[in-house]
């Protein structure tokens, strides 16, 4: 018995974008230029022949999601660090166990580093031997051009993939999926106008996280009618994502 069990509604209180994070390559929105069947990255993931990579793209395009899906698909351990909070000592605590798992158990590890461009030279240099030897599969994520903001030796040991903003039509599909999904908003009675979705998709500029969280705000801050139905039109959508 857990001393502090999770509250039954704890998961539902997580942001909608977190609850709707894709679990497979097929669920990832956009990025067909690198993830469509037959593309290099898709082939490498499905064949479990992936080397270290750096994902470069704007916020909300799916860098973290893709890293988690890669680890799940290839059945590798997943460890994450932050370019803001990480330091050399903390990295060693992650890297050494990963090396030991690989050499003693044959288990491989995906090390995901968000905002890798924020690592200083010593932090990036500490990764080099572990990446070189294959002790970890590094997946770095950055909104900055890695050829300018990440150490050249680390870039040379990785393959860079540029992600693009999620197209508006796929943002609309994402929001519709969230409305009907058990982890999303299916527990609510919604009257969601198509023009509201179109508006959100247009102003979110390819940011899936922003679109889903704006949708959730619009829904949860709108009073239901006497029948318990929540009506979300353009007006509610506009108010949910004011600039």
């Amino acid at each position: 018995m857990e001393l502090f069990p999770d509250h039954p509604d704890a998961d539902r209180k997580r942001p909608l974008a977190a609850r709707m994070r894709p679990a497979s390559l097929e669920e990832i929105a956009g990025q067909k230029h690198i993830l469509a069947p037959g593309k290099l990255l898709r082939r490498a993931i499905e064949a479990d022949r992936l080397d270290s990579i750096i994902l470069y793209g704007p916020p909300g395009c799916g860098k973290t999601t893709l890293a988690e899906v890669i680890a799940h698909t290839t059945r590798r351990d997943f460890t994450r660090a932050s370019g803001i909070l990480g330091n050399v000592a903390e990295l060693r605590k992650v890297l050494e166990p990963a090396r030991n798992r690989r050499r003693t158990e044959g288990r491989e590890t995906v090390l995901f580093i968000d905002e890798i461009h924020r690592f200083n030279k010593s932090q990036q240099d500490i990764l080099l031997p572990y990446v070189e030897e294959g002790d970890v599969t590094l997946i770095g994520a950055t909104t900055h051009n890695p050829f300018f903001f990440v150490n050249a030796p680390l870039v040379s040991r990785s393959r860079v993939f540029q992600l693009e903003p999620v197209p508006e039509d796929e943002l609309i599909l994402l929001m519709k999926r969230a409305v009907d999904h058990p982890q999303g908003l299916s527990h609510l009675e919604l009257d969601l106008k198509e023009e509201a979705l179109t508006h959100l998709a247009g102003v979110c500029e390819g940011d899936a996280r922003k679109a889903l969280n704006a949708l959730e705000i619009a829904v949860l801050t709108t009073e239901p009618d006497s029948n318990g139905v929540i009506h979300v039109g353009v007006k509610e959508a506009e108010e949910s994502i004011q600039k």
Side-chain angles (χ1 to χ4, degrees):
M1 179 178 179
E2 294 184 28
L3 184 60
F4 299 105
D6 290 340
H7 190 277
D9 292 332
D11 188 64
R12 190 163 287 168
K13 290 184 181 299
R14 295 166 61 217
L16 180 61
R19 304 200 308 272
M20 293 302 300
R21 195 180 292 280
S24 68
L25 292 172
E26 288 72 25
E27 294 179 2
I28 293 178
Q31 318 315 329
K32 298 296 188 291
H33 63 295
I34 57 174
L35 290 177
K39 294 296 185 179
L40 174 62
L41 182 55
R42 177 71 171 258
R43 297 201 317 269
I45 295 169
E46 292 180 337
D48 196 7
R49 300 293 297 176
L50 188 72
D51 294 323
S52 292
I53 62 175
I54 295 176
L55 303 175
Y56 161 44
C61 67
K63 299 184 291 295
T64 302
T65 292
L66 179 54
E68 292 182 352
V69 168
I70 287 172
H72 176 75
T73 303
T74 59
R75 298 182 180 180
R76 303 184 189 193
D77 291 346
F78 183 82
T79 302
R80 65 181 299 164
S82 169
I84 299 175
L85 303 176
N87 57 49
V88 171
E90 290 174 348
L91 283 174
R92 288 191 185 278
K93 291 179 182 179
V94 170
L95 292 167
E96 281 301 320
R99 170 177 280 175
N100 291 335
R101 280 195 300 270
R102 175 176 175 268
R103 297 185 179 184
T104 61
E105 304 173 36
R107 288 165 53 200
E108 298 190 43
T109 300
V110 166
L111 172 60
F112 174 68
I113 299 180
D114 196 15
E115 299 193 83
I116 193 171
H117 61 274
R118 293 182 179 267
F119 267 14
N120 59 36
K121 186 178 185 300
S122 63
Q123 288 170 309
Q124 293 187 26
D125 285 348
I126 196 69
L127 296 170
L128 291 177
Y130 297 90
V131 172
E132 183 80 38
E133 295 296 324
D135 293 319
V136 296
T137 299
L138 172 67
I139 301 182
T142 177
T143 55
H144 293 55
N145 189 328
F147 293 103
F148 294 100
F149 291 92
V150 179
N151 282 2
L154 196 55
V155 172
S156 72
R157 290 164 173 78
S158 309
R159 191 178 296 274
V160 176
F161 290 94
Q162 184 169 359
L163 280 66
E164 298 174 349
V166 180
E168 290 185 15
D169 60 333
E170 297 210 33
L171 287 179
I172 292 173
L173 289 177
L174 272 180
M175 290 185 282
K176 287 182 175 179
R177 185 191 306 165
V179 168
D180 298 326
H181 199 280
Q183 292 295 320
L185 303 171
S186 63
H187 61 291
L188 301 172
E189 288 290 331
L190 295 181
D191 172 27
L192 184 59
K193 304 301 183 185
E194 189 75 22
E195 54 267 29
L197 294 175
T198 301
H199 174 78
L200 290 177
V203 300
C204 286
E205 300 176 332
D207 187 328
R209 184 189 305 110
K210 184 186 293 186
L212 287 171
N213 288 339
L215 171 64
E216 184 174 39
I217 290 172
V219 169
L220 297 183
T221 59
T222 301
E223 288 292 328
D225 64 15
S226 58
N227 296 315
V229 178
I230 299 172
H231 301 271
V232 176
V234 173
K235 176 177 177 292
E236 289 78 16
E238 289 175 341
E239 291 177 350
S240 72
I241 195 164
Q242 296 179 29
K243 293 188 177 180

